[in-house]
Amino acid sequence: MMGAFGRAMEGTGRRRLRGGLLGGALALVLSGCAGGTAPSGAEGAEAGAGPRERVRVEGKGARRPPNLVLIFIDDMGYADIGPFGAKGYETPNLDRLAREGMRFTDFEVSSAVCSASRAALLTGCYHRRVGISGALGPRSRIGLNEDEVTLAEIARSRGYATACFGKWHLGRHPRFLPLRHGFDEYFGLPYSNDMWSLHPAFAKLPANAARRKRGYPDLPLIEGERVVVPKVTGREQAMLTTWYTERAVDFIARNKDRPFFLYLPHSMVHVPLFVSDKFKGKSGRGLFGDVVMEVDWSVGRILDCLDEHGLAKDTLVIFTSDNGPWLSYGDHAGSAGPLREGKGTMFEGGCRVPTIMRWPGRIPAGRTCDELASTIDILPTFAALCGAELPPRRIDGKDLRPLMFGAPGARSPHEAFFFYYAGGQLQAVRDRRYKLHFPHRYRTLNGRRGGTGGRPVPYERARIGLALFDLKRDPGETKNVASEHPEVVARLRRLAEKARDDLGDRLTGRRGRGIRPPGRLPPRTRRGGR
């Protein structure tokens, strides 16, 4: 099956993809910020190049386009790693990543839940635009549309090797799995690791209980498009972080002589928590701390592998999370630190995630970026870095190179960022400083402690009215300053109206003209042909 990018380029013959990594005065600015000469753009890749074609890099002293290693953690809170304030356990490899790279302290996801966040990451679009909301269940009949161009397809268009090892969660059917979206290799779970018969909602029910039978099917482990473990148990879950990491290291070694894109979406630290014997009981902060330490070990193995093969200076490493912590799970959940609420809300605790980027010689070491940026920006930034064309259809992400490379005076490329949740409610809009919440209902523990031992406590339902927060002074969204800044409220409301025209809004009954459909399986045929 020809991918969307290939179809868009079909018939262009040997037309060159957009080359020139950095051009003219911008190249001079960015090379000065990075403390080195900006590399020349990669040129000469044929349009629609197959996954095994090499990118030709021309010119004296030219370097190959950068490898990309994208480590995507599940349900990791803002304050769950050392560089962002974690206490009670150590994350030495992530500490190293931050020392050698740049922390992004105002990095947002499109939605504070699994599938929606992943769709946005891989397409450079708000999840609302590509028709993916919430967390797709095992029996869902939708997935990421084949017409959407993914990061992997961008990479493949420039001759990169591509691999995904970990949680996918963009459709269970083979037509939605990674190999149909630009990845050469895949190994992992097709959806969240709690979508199995031992989910807390069903675990204590009798095996033959009707409600349990209507629950989740067996959890499969997939390689390529083949189920290799049809019924994952706790024994396999305890090895997932290790297995994903081993696959990642092997992939790097096998592709050390060509550009590669490695996507490592870990199943942890999503509940149920599992850890291998090598980290069990090691953190002193219970199972959650053990699991984070094993994720940190995985990061260290990746960094060591890049060093071993002399690839560190040719590789952009990005570490981030799909959303904030699942607070109802208490001691099996992380921490949003100073931020309000967590996963499942569009307060900052749900959608602002810990992010580190490292590229030695290009990204200034030991720096912090406090400007607004997002996972939707990774695709257009990577396309610019590797000299690829952007997708033919509209995306929402922006080029982050000035921020990444520390250009003097660089500011967020976003005039506004929109927060959609609950199947299409525009719940908030923000700019670099202010965030305006529109009246909506949300879930909260309301100050109560979460559960223990992997059993959650129920949320309460609360409501927020129109409220403006100054995120620079009040990242915890505690003081409504709408009455003090009516002009800011009016400006953000105008921006929200543009978003409603484009992406709709269930809160106001707007449909939106820029929403594209998800991939959808055909209707099931009833017996007898009816």
Side-chain angles (χ1 to χ4, degrees), residues 34 50 64 69 84 102 140-141 327 330 352 403 405 418 441 509:
R64 76 184 196 181
V69 175
F84 285 79
M102 179 180 288
S140 174
R141 299 187 62 78
L327 297 176
R352 188 186 297 202
L403 294 181
F405 297 152
F418 303 102
R441 296 181 64 80

Side-chain angles (χ1 to χ4, degrees), residues 191-482:
Y191 38 80
S192 294
N193 67 319
D194 69 333
M195 292 181 174
W196 64 340
S197 61
L198 296 179
H199 188 281
F202 311 117
K204 292 189 176 182
L205 296 175
N208 61 350
R211 183 162 173 255
R212 183 162 183 168
K213 290 182 177 181
R214 290 195 302 269
Y216 294 122
D218 293 334
L219 176 65
L221 183 65
I222 295 175
E223 183 165 13
E225 294 180 356
R226 181 172 63 93
V227 174
V228 291
V229 179
K231 186 176 181 179
V232 168
T233 68
R235 181 170 54 188
E236 287 85 19
Q237 292 234 33
M239 292 302 297
L240 289 177
T241 300
T242 297
W243 288 343
Y244 297 160
T245 305
E246 289 173 346
R247 297 273 179 147
V249 167
D250 176 68
F251 174 78
I252 292 172
R254 286 188 284 110
N255 292 282
K256 63 182 183 295
D257 296 322
R258 61 177 297 192
F260 59 81
F261 167 42
L262 169 62
Y263 176 43
L264 189 57
H266 279 288
S267 295
M268 300 295 134
V269 297
H270 195 291
V271 293
L273 298 178
F274 286 94
V275 70
S276 69
D277 289 341
K278 60 183 174 291
F279 284 95
K280 191 174 295 182
K282 295 293 179 63
S283 71
R285 192 192 174 273
L287 184 55
F288 184 83
D290 298 345
V291 170
V292 174
M293 287 186 69
E294 186 159 39
V295 167
D296 179 79
W297 163 84
S298 175
V299 172
R301 290 285 291 119
I302 300 295
L303 299 182
D304 290 345
C305 182
L306 294 174
D307 288 341
E308 177 185 345
H309 296 291
L311 296 172
K313 291 185 177 180
D314 295 317
T315 305
L316 169 60
V317 177
I318 300 176
F319 177 95
T320 189
S321 174
D322 68 339
N323 49 246
W326 202 343
L327 297 176
S328 64
Y329 278 86
D331 63 359
H332 279 207
S335 168
L339 307 179
R340 181 172 174 177
E341 302 299 342
K343 173 181 179 175
T345 78
M346 298 311 287
F347 291 98
E348 293 296 292
C351 52
R352 188 186 297 202
V353 292
T355 302
I356 306 171
M357 299 187 190
R358 188 196 80 160
W359 185 3
R362 300 303 312 282
I363 293 178
R367 296 275 289 274
T368 295
C369 176
D370 296 326
E371 288 289 321
L372 167 64
S374 171
T375 53
I376 65 175
D377 302 326
I378 293 174
L379 184 146
T381 303
F382 175 64
L385 291 171
C386 72
E389 289 192 343
L390 290 174
R393 297 198 290 180
R394 179 177 176 180
I395 66 170
D396 301 295
K398 309 294 184 183
D399 188 347
L400 292 181
R401 286 176 298 167
L403 294 181
M404 287 170 52
F405 297 152
R411 292 161 60 102
S412 172
H414 292 280
E415 178 185 17
F417 193 86
F418 303 102
F419 297 88
Y420 280 89
Y421 198 72
Q425 295 181 4
L426 179 57
Q427 295 187 347
V429 56
R430 65 163 293 189
D431 60 16
R432 296 173 59 242
R433 178 171 180 175
Y434 292 100
K435 183 174 180 181
L436 181 67
H437 281 265
F438 299 107
H440 68 271
R441 296 181 64 80
Y442 64 96
R443 69 186 194 182
T444 181
L445 293 181
N446 197 22
R448 293 180 294 116
R449 296 173 64 93
T452 60
R455 301 286 298 181
V457 299
Y459 285 102
E460 300 176 21
R461 298 294 293 174
R463 181 174 178 82
I464 186 172
L466 188 72
L468 180 72
F469 299 105
D470 182 344
L471 295 180
K472 295 299 183 185
R473 295 183 176 182
D474 178 27
E477 297 170 281
T478 62
K479 182 182 179 182
N480 183 358
V481 295

Side-chain angles (χ1 to χ4, degrees), residues 17-18 42-45 53 55 154-160 386-388:
L17 297 177
R18 175 165 53 88
E43 296 186 11
E53 290 190 8
V55 172
I154 292 287
R156 201 185 245 188
S157 77
R158 297 298 282 162
Y160 279 58
C386 72

